[in-house]
Amino acid sequence: MATTTAERRSQVMVGDLGSDFLRITASQQQVQEEADAQTAQMLAAQTPGGFSFFPGNAAGRLSITIAQAKLAKNYGLTKMDPYCRLRIGHSVVETPTAHNGSKNPRWNKVVQTLEMF
């Protein structure tokens, strides 16, 4: 059943497409999300310096460098894999494990937090 070119062309629609062709109507949730996004962009444009994640109750930024440790003795029969755990307010920061760090592990890790008042 071979179709000829003329038969195929007769099945083609020619002309302008309707204004709703391939249009999907947005749900109420999508409309609300779009309005929220536009409001957020407007508020960010009004904020001096643009949008900031710096909370209003923050007094400043605190930068701590965890350089190294000097441990008094080896606390086991095997090689030690020490790490440092630092608690600042409600957040806890850990350094990576210093494999075979023995009594003098080095990390040189910088931790930055916000100082709240």
Side-chain angles (χ1 to χ4, degrees):
M1 271 196 147
T3 57
T4 64
T5 305
E7 289 175 354
R8 281 187 279 163
R9 286 186 181 166
S10 67
Q11 296 173 355
V12 174
M13 279 183 48
V14 179
D16 294 334
L17 297 174
S19 61
D20 62 344
F21 182 74
L22 293 179
R23 303 266 186 230
I24 299 173
T25 57
S27 68
Q28 184 65 25
Q29 180 180 357
Q30 291 170 331
V31 171
Q32 184 64 42
E33 288 174 357
E34 181 65 28
D36 291 345
Q38 289 177 354
T39 304
Q41 287 176 350
M42 288 174 37
L43 288 173
Q46 293 174 358
T47 304
F51 185 72
S52 173
F53 287 106
F54 201 76
N57 62 344
R61 186 179 306 252
L62 178 64
S63 179
I64 301 171
T65 302
I66 302 171
Q68 65 182 11
K70 293 184 180 180
L71 304 175
K73 63 179 184 174
N74 191 344
Y75 291 96
L77 299 174
T78 61
K79 292 182 180 180
M80 293 191 304
D81 294 330
Y83 66 96
C84 178
R85 179 180 294 160
L86 180 65
R87 181 176 175 205
I88 305 168
H90 294 290
S91 62
V92 176
V93 179
E94 288 187 1
T95 62
T97 302
H99 296 288
N100 297 326
S102 65
K103 291 167 51 172
N104 297 313
R106 293 180 181 266
W107 294 285
N108 294 326
K109 181 175 180 171
V110 178
V111 177
Q112 294 183 356
T113 63
L114 295 176
E115 186 178 333
M116 305 296 180
F117 51 67

